[in-house]
Every structure is written in C-alpha cells, then in structure tokens.
Amino acid sequence: MEQKWVALSNTTIGQLMATINTSIIVVALPPIFRGIHLNPLAHGTFPYLLWSIISYMIVISVLLLTIGRLSDMYGRVRLFNLGFLIFTIGSILLYVLPGTGTTAALELIIFRMFQAVGGSFLMANSFAIITDNFPDDERAFALSINSVASIIGVSVGVVAGGILSIIYWRDVFLISVPVGIFGTVWSFLKLKETSPRIRHRIDLPGNITFAAGIVLILLGITYGIVPYNAFPMGWENPYVVISIVLGLALLILFIYVEKHVDNPMFRLDFFKNTGFSIGNFTGFVSAMGMMGLMYMLTILFQGVWLPIHGYPYYITPFWAGVYILPMTIAMGIFGIIGGRIANRNNIRLLTSLGLFISSFSFILIAFLPYDFSYPELAFYLVIFGIGYGLFNAPNISAVMSSVPGDSRGSASGMLNTMRNLGYTASMGLFFSILIYGLSVYLPGSIKTHLNSIGASSLSLYISKMPATEALFSAFLGINPVPSILSTVNKSVLSKIQKSTILYISGNTWYPHVLAPAFGSSFSMVFYIAFAITLVSGIISIFREPLNYKIKNSLRSKEYVKK
C-alpha cells in the first residue's frame, strides 16, 4: 500500500478512537456507576461524576501543544506510535477496573487521564502526518477524511456508549482494546517517518506556564458549575475566580516567555498569518457550538422528550444517540464534499458559508417547543451537519498549509487544543445558563404540578432538588424522583394515594415538570450559539487566501539555528 494511504488510514483510526472516548462515557455513566456500586446522584459523588466526564478532555487540552512541539523535535510517527500504545494500555486498565465505590470512581478518573495521554499523542500528530504525506492538491480531501472521523467519533461515542452499557458496563472500555492493539501493531510496522526534524532544546518555561495556565482556567470553568454554599453555582466561589484569573495571568506570561526564549514551545509569529489565526479562532467557536449542541440534545432527549414519548429511562441513552445520527451523517457526507472541493482559492467561501449555515440551524432549533416533531428537528440537525461539514476540512487544511513543514506538529497541536478548549468551554458556558434557569424556575414548576395532583406535601422534599442534580440527572438519563421519595417520611407518603406516588415516580411526570423550567434556558443557549457562530463566519471572510509563502518567509535565523 502506498505510504500516503497507510498514513491516512492509520491516523484516521487513531483520531476516531481518541474522539469516541471523549463522549462514550457520558451516556454510559449510570450503568458504570451501578457496576462499581456507587449512586451517581448520592451526596458527595457529584465531583466523581463531573471528573469522569471532563478529565479526558482536560488532559488532552493541556498536552496537545506540548506533544505537537515534541513531535516536531523527535518525530511525529514515533510519538504517534507511542500514543497508540499508551491509549491501548489505558483502555485495558479501564476494562479491568478493580475497585468498588469511591475507590473505583477514583481509579476510573485516573485511568481515563492515562488513556487521554495516549489520545493526545494521536490527536496532536494526525493532521501533521497527513499534511506531510499528501501533496497540496490532495491534502484537503485527505484531511477531510480524518476530520470526519474526529467529528463522527463524538456522535458514535454516544451511540456506542448507549448500546454497550446496556449489555455490560465494562464493554464500554473493551471496544477500544482490539482496535488499539491493531492500530499499535500496524503503526509500528507500516507507518514511516517523513517529517523534517528540528534540533531544539525543550522550552521548559513555556511548557510549564502554558500547562499551568490551561489547567487553572479549565478547573475554574469546571467548578464554576458546582454548587457553592447557598449558591446554585460556584462562580461566587473565590477559589474559582482566583483559578481563572491566575490561569489567564500565566497564559499572558506564556506569551512573554515565548517571545524571549531561543527555542519557543510555539512560534507566536504564526498568528500574524490570518489563515492560521482565524482558522484557530473559528475552530474554537465551531467546536464550542457543535459540542454545546450535542450536550443540549442529550439533555433534551434523555431528560424530556424520550421519557414523555414512552421510552424507559434505562434505554434513553441509546435512543438519544440514534436520534442524533442525522447530524452525524450530514457532517460525514458534507465533510468529505468540503474537502474534495476545497482549494486555495475558495477556502474563505467554504468556511464562511459553513459557519453561516450552522448559525442558521441554531436559530431554527431555538424556536422548537420541548414536545417537538422529530422529523422537524432531524431536518434542522441535517442543516447544522451540512454547515459544520463544509467548514471543518477546509479550515483544517488552511491552518496546516499555512505553516512550514518543520512546525506542523505544533500547528496541529494548537488547532486541536483550540477545539478541545471549545468542547470544555461549551460545558461551562451552556451548563451555567441551564443551571441558572433551573434554579429560578424549577422549584415553582414542581410546586405547581404537585398541587395540581393533590400531592402538595411532597413539595418540601422534591422542590429542594439542587439545580445541578436536576441538570445532570437529565444529562445522564436518570429519573431522580424515586431516589428523593425514598427519603420521605412514610407518614407523609401514607396520606397520598398510591396511584399518585406511582405517577410521580413514573416516566412522564418529572419530564413534564422539567421541560418548562428548561424552556427559556434552552432558547438562550441556542441564541448565544447563533450569535458567536455568525460572528465567526463574518470573521472567516477576512482570512487571506491560502498560500504557502509562510514556508519561506518565517524561516528566520532565530528559528533555524542549531
């Protein structure tokens, strides 16, 4: 097999597995926590729940840029192969998770972080290896195949997690093992190093300031949605504020360091090229919009729409993934089309058009009622998928083609870092909007519905449900009402008809209560997604046409010495 096709197929497998594991655990957490004998909604387990979801993305976001630079220095294929090996070992450790209770939850988080180290090696090098192996006129198409794998991986992870968790919770992690073993062996045997090497020392000050800054910001965003004292969220928590401010200060220090060291971790002069800078910015915004849409759809389907339409809670994760597939399919088809028709003269047209189409779909979704007609939503999801597909591959091609060959690892690391930061930022921003809306409207909605069925005595118990618990129970497809009723005094329950108790504990009562409280917040989320995507589409118009002058113009003495 010709080397370029070996590179494309191998990196596509790696990218697919790395992104599948970004989302596969989300819908599978309830059966996983049941399997390790830990109630995900019990007091004190929320941090374990949150870190099980975000630990993978945080590690990848922190390491991508560093690994991209190391790959330029020591070989992209070498580090890509190492990533496959680490990723496979992490998958095996997760499958054989030995503990129970909080011990197992902690092991789950640690092993996910270890697996993410391997995933970051794979993601940091995939785009760069493809760019190394494909000529200019074939590069956009090859990158589209790889980028489609990374997009599809997020959606496939949701579906796979839903299916495998119903069969056996450990199978959620087993799926990565045979693929990881195959990819590891094949990459070691077949993938050849073609990238130029740069002989530089490791920029320790740059690595430390960047990693510390990103970690502190992401920790602040994460704990901003965790309750603090009497507040429904943690944005009033001084540690959250300090974490974000200190993280931003370290990133400013990182910029200063990179301008004054001999061998910088990242060449800041790349941002002078609008193809690179605008490509990274729009990549961040589009990733935030796409992942935000995935989060909102997961909550809407699992917490409201599916239970109302008769789906039992235990199977909502699977069907939520299935109902999102129209978007995934459209992304895949139009991602390949976008890569096939992209060239250096129409990058601005495709990227801007894709972002405008995506923003239009957000407005359409914002006006849907919670008890929507699925074909109508599916049509809007296809529209979004078309826009995202047309944008993604040309944007990646523009970024990767705007840097010299010896810095493609760094460029790939930066681009993937911005995308992963977008994924994490979407959780902080959009979940904050939902939690605020729930904290304001949910108690009143609960009291109104309980009064209407003659069960007002239960308001004291159910209306005190924390907004974060309501949000994450919907996000995970769990009905929290039976758990709350188990804590109610029996004398109180005895005064309410059994049929009423069964109705409150059933599939439909809680979703009908939750939906009005979510309503305005959902609309606000999609209005914001529309605005930022529209603005990024306008900004994308001003990127310069794709050219390769930077390959020579940026080779100044300070970067090529030694």
Side-chain angles (χ1 to χ4, degrees):
M1 183 184 295
E2 193 175 351
Q3 180 61 203
K4 64 180 181 180
W5 301 117
V6 172
L8 177 59
S9 55
N10 209 307
T11 55
T12 298
I13 292 173
Q15 189 82 282
L16 182 65
M17 294 311 302
T19 51
I20 282 177
N21 280 272
T22 301
S23 60
I24 194 170
I25 199 172
V26 172
V27 297
L29 274 178
I32 290 174
F33 271 55
R34 286 195 299 269
I36 63 176
H37 307 296
L38 186 63
N39 181 0
L41 298 182
H43 178 71
T45 60
F46 183 73
Y48 294 107
L49 177 69
L50 191 60
W51 274 96
S52 296
I53 298 172
I54 66 169
S55 58
Y56 187 88
M57 289 187 289
I58 286 181
V59 170
I60 285 181
S61 297
V62 170
L63 291 181
L64 277 172
L65 189 54
T66 297
I67 291 173
R69 182 60 171 172
L70 292 175
S71 299
D72 290 336
M73 296 168 62
Y74 299 107
R76 291 161 198 159
V77 169
R78 178 184 296 178
L79 269 67
F80 180 85
N81 294 345
L82 179 61
F84 246 131
L85 179 60
I86 295 172
F87 183 87
T88 305
I89 294 173
S91 301
I92 294 172
L93 291 173
L94 285 164
Y95 178 69
V96 300
L97 199 70
T100 58
T102 56
T103 301
L106 186 59
E107 292 169 349
L108 172 66
I109 294 167
I110 293 172
F111 294 160
R112 282 270 292 170
M113 294 174 76
F114 182 83
Q115 186 188 46
V117 173
S120 61
F121 277 86
L122 297 175
M123 295 176 68
N125 288 288
S126 292
F127 296 155
I129 290 174
I130 289 175
T131 306
D132 289 339
N133 283 275
F134 280 83
D136 296 341
D137 58 344
E138 298 179 10
R139 187 173 298 152
F141 174 68
L143 286 169
S144 73
I145 300 295
N146 198 265
S147 63
V148 163
S150 67
I151 297 168
I152 291 177
V154 178
S155 300
V156 169
V158 175
V159 179
I163 295 173
L164 295 173
S165 63
I166 292 173
I167 301 171
Y168 182 42
W169 67 272
R170 290 187 188 272
D171 291 345
V172 172
F173 308 114
L174 180 63
I175 187 175
S176 300
V177 175
V179 179
I181 292 173
F182 171 77
T184 301
V185 173
W186 193 23
S187 64
F188 270 103
L189 293 178
K190 294 292 185 179
L191 201 55
K192 297 178 181 178
E193 190 68 72
T194 58
S195 62
R197 303 282 185 87
I198 55 174
R199 297 184 179 276
H200 284 168
R201 291 175 296 177
I202 296 176
D203 172 22
L204 288 178
N207 279 274
I208 292 171
T209 52
F210 179 81
I214 292 295
V215 167
L216 287 171
I217 290 175
L218 293 180
L219 286 177
I221 292 174
T222 299
Y223 281 93
I225 61 175
V226 175
Y228 173 69
N229 292 339
F231 299 103
M233 290 180 286
W235 297 112
E236 291 84 0
N237 187 338
Y239 291 107
V240 168
V241 176
I242 291 172
S243 179
I244 293 176
V245 171
L246 186 57
L248 290 172
L250 284 171
L251 290 184
I252 293 172
L253 179 60
F254 166 73
I255 295 174
Y256 175 82
V257 168
E258 296 305 275
K259 287 183 176 180
H260 292 84
V261 296
D262 290 334
N263 302 303
M265 171 187 175
F266 186 80
R267 290 174 52 176
L268 296 175
D269 60 338
F270 287 165
F271 285 102
K272 295 178 181 179
N273 180 280
T274 58
F276 184 85
S277 55
I278 291 178
N280 275 280
F281 172 76
T282 54
F284 169 81
V285 172
S286 65
M288 185 164 63
M290 190 269 285
M291 187 57 77
L293 179 60
M294 292 285 290
Y295 286 147
M296 296 306 106
L297 291 176
T298 300
I299 294 168
L300 191 59
F301 275 124
Q302 296 188 180
V304 178
W305 195 86
L306 288 168
I308 286 176
H309 286 81
Y311 293 80
Y313 272 92
Y314 76 89
I315 204 170
T316 56
F318 165 72
W319 283 107
V322 171
Y323 282 133
I324 293 172
L325 283 177
M327 179 179 72
T328 308
I329 294 170
M331 284 180 181
I333 294 173
F334 282 87
I336 294 173
I337 291 174
R340 175 62 75 182
I341 65 178
N343 59 58
R344 68 181 63 192
N345 296 315
N346 67 3
I347 291 292
R348 285 185 295 186
L349 172 64
L350 285 174
T351 54
S352 298
L353 178 63
L355 290 169
F356 290 147
I357 293 173
S358 296
S359 66
F360 177 64
S361 70
F362 285 132
I363 280 292
L364 295 175
I365 295 172
F367 285 101
L368 282 176
Y370 71 84
D371 192 13
F372 52 82
S373 167
Y374 175 72
E376 185 178 4
L377 175 64
F379 177 66
Y380 296 162
L381 294 182
V382 169
I383 293 175
F384 176 84
I386 291 171
Y388 194 91
L390 290 176
F391 161 80
N392 198 48
N395 188 63
I396 294 171
S397 179
V399 172
M400 296 306 300
S401 298
S402 67
V403 299
D406 60 3
S407 296
R408 286 172 182 158
S410 298
S412 177
M414 175 61 77
L415 181 58
N416 277 295
T417 296
M418 296 301 291
R419 285 169 47 165
N420 277 273
L421 288 176
Y423 294 158
T424 309
S426 68
M427 176 178 281
L429 174 61
F430 298 141
F431 277 28
S432 293
I433 296 171
L434 293 182
I435 292 171
Y436 174 77
L438 288 173
S439 66
V440 173
Y441 298 110
L442 185 58
S445 180
I446 290 173
K447 290 177 182 179
T448 299
H449 282 76
L450 287 175
N451 290 340
S452 67
I453 57 175
S456 58
S457 59
L458 294 177
S459 294
L460 180 65
Y461 301 92
I462 302 178
S463 64
K464 289 185 176 181
M465 182 194 317
T468 49
E469 181 177 327
L471 174 65
F472 275 89
S473 63
F475 187 53
L476 298 171
I478 299 175
N479 185 356
V481 175
S483 178
I484 295 173
L485 291 180
S486 68
T487 66
V488 177
N489 192 296
K490 291 183 179 180
S491 62
V492 176
L493 292 175
S494 64
K495 298 176 183 179
I496 302 174
Q497 294 183 0
K498 289 186 178 180
S499 59
T500 301
I501 297 296
L502 289 174
Y503 173 57
I504 294 172
S505 304
N507 253 42
T508 59
W509 181 80
Y510 179 63
H512 278 294
V513 172
L514 196 61
F518 266 138
S520 60
S521 298
F522 269 118
S523 297
M524 181 59 67
V525 164
F526 290 117
Y527 291 148
I528 293 174
F530 160 75
I532 60 176
T533 307
L534 179 66
V535 170
S536 65
I538 295 172
I539 291 174
S540 186
I541 295 174
F542 295 97
R543 73 171 83 208
E544 61 192 60
L546 186 61
N547 63 77
Y548 305 96
K549 293 179 181 179
I550 192 170
K551 292 183 179 181
N552 297 317
S553 64
L554 293 180
R555 291 180 180 274
S556 58
K557 291 182 179 179
E558 59 182 303
Y559 290 111
V560 299
K561 66 180 180 179
K562 301 183 181 179

